[in-house]
Short mmCIF file of all heavy atoms in Angstrom, two decimals:
data_model
loop_
_atom_site.label_atom_id
_atom_site.label_comp_id
_atom_site.label_asym_id
_atom_site.label_seq_id
_atom_site.Cartn_x
_atom_site.Cartn_y
_atom_site.Cartn_z
N LEU A 1 78.12 70.82 -18.46
CA LEU A 1 77.54 71.97 -17.78
C LEU A 1 77.30 73.10 -18.79
O LEU A 1 77.94 73.17 -19.83
CB LEU A 1 78.47 72.46 -16.67
CG LEU A 1 78.83 71.47 -15.58
CD1 LEU A 1 79.62 72.18 -14.48
CD2 LEU A 1 77.61 70.79 -15.00
N THR A 2 76.38 73.99 -18.45
CA THR A 2 76.09 75.13 -19.31
C THR A 2 75.67 76.33 -18.47
O THR A 2 75.08 76.18 -17.40
CB THR A 2 74.99 74.80 -20.32
OG1 THR A 2 74.71 75.97 -21.12
CG2 THR A 2 73.70 74.38 -19.63
N PHE A 3 76.01 77.53 -18.97
CA PHE A 3 75.60 78.77 -18.33
C PHE A 3 74.38 79.38 -19.01
O PHE A 3 73.90 80.42 -18.59
CB PHE A 3 76.74 79.79 -18.34
CG PHE A 3 77.75 79.56 -17.26
CD1 PHE A 3 78.87 78.78 -17.49
CD2 PHE A 3 77.58 80.11 -16.00
CE1 PHE A 3 79.82 78.57 -16.49
CE2 PHE A 3 78.50 79.90 -15.00
CZ PHE A 3 79.63 79.12 -15.24
N GLN A 4 73.89 78.75 -20.06
CA GLN A 4 72.71 79.23 -20.74
C GLN A 4 71.52 78.34 -20.44
O GLN A 4 71.68 77.13 -20.23
CB GLN A 4 72.95 79.30 -22.25
CG GLN A 4 74.06 80.26 -22.63
CD GLN A 4 74.16 80.47 -24.13
OE1 GLN A 4 73.18 80.36 -24.85
NE2 GLN A 4 75.36 80.77 -24.60
N LYS A 5 70.35 78.94 -20.42
CA LYS A 5 69.14 78.20 -20.11
C LYS A 5 68.96 77.07 -21.11
O LYS A 5 68.94 77.29 -22.32
CB LYS A 5 67.93 79.13 -20.12
CG LYS A 5 66.65 78.48 -19.63
CD LYS A 5 65.51 79.49 -19.56
CE LYS A 5 64.24 78.83 -19.04
NZ LYS A 5 63.12 79.79 -18.95
N ALA A 6 68.85 75.86 -20.60
CA ALA A 6 68.81 74.68 -21.46
C ALA A 6 67.41 74.48 -22.02
O ALA A 6 66.40 74.73 -21.35
CB ALA A 6 69.24 73.44 -20.69
N GLY A 7 67.38 74.04 -23.27
CA GLY A 7 66.10 73.72 -23.90
C GLY A 7 65.91 72.22 -23.99
O GLY A 7 64.98 71.64 -23.43
N ASP A 8 66.83 71.58 -24.69
CA ASP A 8 66.76 70.13 -24.87
C ASP A 8 67.51 69.41 -23.75
O ASP A 8 68.41 69.96 -23.12
CB ASP A 8 67.36 69.74 -26.22
CG ASP A 8 66.63 70.41 -27.38
OD1 ASP A 8 65.41 70.62 -27.25
OD2 ASP A 8 67.29 70.73 -28.38
N GLN A 9 67.13 68.16 -23.54
CA GLN A 9 67.82 67.33 -22.55
C GLN A 9 69.22 67.01 -23.05
O GLN A 9 69.40 66.55 -24.17
CB GLN A 9 67.03 66.02 -22.33
CG GLN A 9 67.56 65.16 -21.20
CD GLN A 9 67.41 65.80 -19.82
OE1 GLN A 9 66.54 66.64 -19.62
NE2 GLN A 9 68.24 65.42 -18.88
N PRO A 10 70.25 67.26 -22.25
CA PRO A 10 71.62 67.01 -22.71
C PRO A 10 71.91 65.52 -22.88
O PRO A 10 71.26 64.67 -22.26
CB PRO A 10 72.48 67.61 -21.59
CG PRO A 10 71.61 67.57 -20.38
CD PRO A 10 70.21 67.78 -20.87
N ILE A 11 72.86 65.22 -23.74
CA ILE A 11 73.27 63.83 -23.98
C ILE A 11 74.21 63.39 -22.87
O ILE A 11 75.22 64.06 -22.60
CB ILE A 11 73.94 63.70 -25.35
CG1 ILE A 11 72.97 64.11 -26.47
CG2 ILE A 11 74.45 62.28 -25.57
CD1 ILE A 11 73.59 64.14 -27.84
N SER A 12 73.90 62.29 -22.25
CA SER A 12 74.72 61.79 -21.13
C SER A 12 75.79 60.83 -21.62
O SER A 12 75.69 60.28 -22.73
CB SER A 12 73.83 61.11 -20.09
OG SER A 12 73.19 59.98 -20.65
N ARG A 13 76.79 60.62 -20.78
CA ARG A 13 77.89 59.69 -21.09
C ARG A 13 78.20 58.88 -19.84
O ARG A 13 78.48 59.44 -18.78
CB ARG A 13 79.12 60.50 -21.53
CG ARG A 13 80.37 59.68 -21.79
CD ARG A 13 81.44 60.58 -22.41
NE ARG A 13 81.67 61.77 -21.61
CZ ARG A 13 82.55 61.83 -20.60
NH1 ARG A 13 83.25 60.76 -20.26
NH2 ARG A 13 82.71 62.96 -19.94
N ARG A 14 78.14 57.54 -19.97
CA ARG A 14 78.34 56.69 -18.80
C ARG A 14 79.82 56.58 -18.45
O ARG A 14 80.68 56.41 -19.32
CB ARG A 14 77.75 55.29 -19.03
CG ARG A 14 77.91 54.37 -17.80
CD ARG A 14 76.87 53.29 -17.77
NE ARG A 14 75.52 53.84 -17.63
CZ ARG A 14 75.00 54.26 -16.48
NH1 ARG A 14 75.72 54.21 -15.36
NH2 ARG A 14 73.78 54.73 -16.44
N VAL A 15 80.10 56.66 -17.14
CA VAL A 15 81.48 56.57 -16.65
C VAL A 15 81.65 55.34 -15.76
O VAL A 15 82.62 54.59 -15.91
CB VAL A 15 81.85 57.84 -15.86
CG1 VAL A 15 83.28 57.74 -15.32
CG2 VAL A 15 81.71 59.08 -16.74
N ILE A 16 80.73 55.14 -14.83
CA ILE A 16 80.75 53.96 -13.97
C ILE A 16 79.35 53.34 -13.96
O ILE A 16 78.38 53.95 -14.43
CB ILE A 16 81.18 54.32 -12.52
CG1 ILE A 16 80.26 55.41 -11.94
CG2 ILE A 16 82.64 54.76 -12.49
CD1 ILE A 16 80.56 55.77 -10.50
N SER A 17 79.26 52.15 -13.40
CA SER A 17 77.96 51.46 -13.38
C SER A 17 77.02 52.12 -12.37
O SER A 17 77.45 52.82 -11.45
CB SER A 17 78.16 50.00 -13.02
OG SER A 17 78.60 49.88 -11.67
N GLU A 18 75.73 51.85 -12.56
CA GLU A 18 74.73 52.40 -11.65
C GLU A 18 74.94 51.87 -10.24
O GLU A 18 74.79 52.61 -9.26
CB GLU A 18 73.33 52.05 -12.15
CG GLU A 18 72.22 52.60 -11.28
CD GLU A 18 70.84 52.29 -11.84
OE1 GLU A 18 70.73 52.03 -13.06
OE2 GLU A 18 69.87 52.30 -11.05
N LYS A 19 75.31 50.59 -10.13
CA LYS A 19 75.52 50.00 -8.80
C LYS A 19 76.68 50.67 -8.07
O LYS A 19 76.58 51.00 -6.88
CB LYS A 19 75.79 48.50 -8.93
CG LYS A 19 75.97 47.81 -7.56
CD LYS A 19 76.24 46.33 -7.74
CE LYS A 19 76.31 45.62 -6.37
NZ LYS A 19 77.24 46.23 -5.43
N THR A 20 77.78 50.89 -8.79
CA THR A 20 78.93 51.55 -8.16
C THR A 20 78.56 52.95 -7.70
O THR A 20 78.91 53.36 -6.58
CB THR A 20 80.11 51.62 -9.15
OG1 THR A 20 80.53 50.28 -9.48
CG2 THR A 20 81.29 52.36 -8.54
N ALA A 21 77.85 53.67 -8.53
CA ALA A 21 77.45 55.03 -8.17
C ALA A 21 76.58 55.04 -6.93
O ALA A 21 76.75 55.87 -6.03
CB ALA A 21 76.71 55.68 -9.34
N ARG A 22 75.63 54.12 -6.85
CA ARG A 22 74.74 54.06 -5.69
C ARG A 22 75.48 53.63 -4.43
O ARG A 22 75.20 54.12 -3.33
CB ARG A 22 73.57 53.12 -5.98
CG ARG A 22 72.59 53.70 -6.99
CD ARG A 22 71.40 52.76 -7.22
NE ARG A 22 70.43 53.36 -8.12
CZ ARG A 22 69.43 54.15 -7.75
NH1 ARG A 22 69.26 54.44 -6.46
NH2 ARG A 22 68.59 54.65 -8.63
N ASP A 23 76.45 52.73 -4.59
CA ASP A 23 77.25 52.30 -3.43
C ASP A 23 78.06 53.47 -2.87
O ASP A 23 78.10 53.69 -1.65
CB ASP A 23 78.19 51.16 -3.82
CG ASP A 23 77.47 49.83 -3.99
OD1 ASP A 23 76.32 49.71 -3.50
OD2 ASP A 23 78.05 48.91 -4.61
N VAL A 24 78.70 54.24 -3.76
CA VAL A 24 79.50 55.39 -3.30
C VAL A 24 78.59 56.46 -2.72
O VAL A 24 78.93 57.11 -1.72
CB VAL A 24 80.36 55.96 -4.46
CG1 VAL A 24 81.12 57.21 -3.99
CG2 VAL A 24 81.35 54.91 -4.96
N ARG A 25 77.42 56.64 -3.31
CA ARG A 25 76.47 57.62 -2.79
C ARG A 25 76.08 57.28 -1.35
O ARG A 25 75.99 58.16 -0.49
CB ARG A 25 75.24 57.67 -3.67
CG ARG A 25 74.31 58.83 -3.35
CD ARG A 25 72.97 58.69 -4.08
NE ARG A 25 73.15 58.58 -5.51
CZ ARG A 25 72.17 58.29 -6.35
NH1 ARG A 25 70.95 58.06 -5.90
NH2 ARG A 25 72.40 58.20 -7.64
N ALA A 26 75.86 55.99 -1.10
CA ALA A 26 75.50 55.56 0.25
C ALA A 26 76.66 55.84 1.22
O ALA A 26 76.44 56.24 2.37
CB ALA A 26 75.14 54.08 0.26
N MET A 27 77.89 55.61 0.76
CA MET A 27 79.05 55.90 1.60
C MET A 27 79.14 57.40 1.91
O MET A 27 79.41 57.81 3.05
CB MET A 27 80.34 55.47 0.90
CG MET A 27 80.47 53.98 0.65
SD MET A 27 82.03 53.62 -0.22
CE MET A 27 81.70 51.96 -0.83
N MET A 28 78.89 58.21 0.90
CA MET A 28 79.00 59.66 1.08
C MET A 28 77.90 60.20 1.99
O MET A 28 78.06 61.25 2.61
CB MET A 28 78.97 60.35 -0.29
CG MET A 28 80.21 60.06 -1.14
SD MET A 28 80.03 60.58 -2.86
CE MET A 28 80.05 62.34 -2.68
N GLU A 29 76.79 59.48 2.08
CA GLU A 29 75.73 59.90 2.98
C GLU A 29 76.17 59.74 4.44
O GLU A 29 75.75 60.51 5.31
CB GLU A 29 74.45 59.11 2.71
CG GLU A 29 73.24 59.64 3.45
CD GLU A 29 71.95 58.96 3.07
OE1 GLU A 29 71.98 57.98 2.29
OE2 GLU A 29 70.88 59.41 3.54
N THR A 30 77.04 58.76 4.70
CA THR A 30 77.51 58.57 6.07
C THR A 30 78.46 59.68 6.52
O THR A 30 78.67 59.89 7.71
CB THR A 30 78.24 57.23 6.21
OG1 THR A 30 79.46 57.24 5.44
CG2 THR A 30 77.37 56.07 5.73
#
């Protein structure tokens, strides 16, 4: 996170798989 206006795209870091994230997202929608 940043409090200053971002210029470049930040570097991401993977924590869980895309499938797991989408599955939990679907649960949270309910």
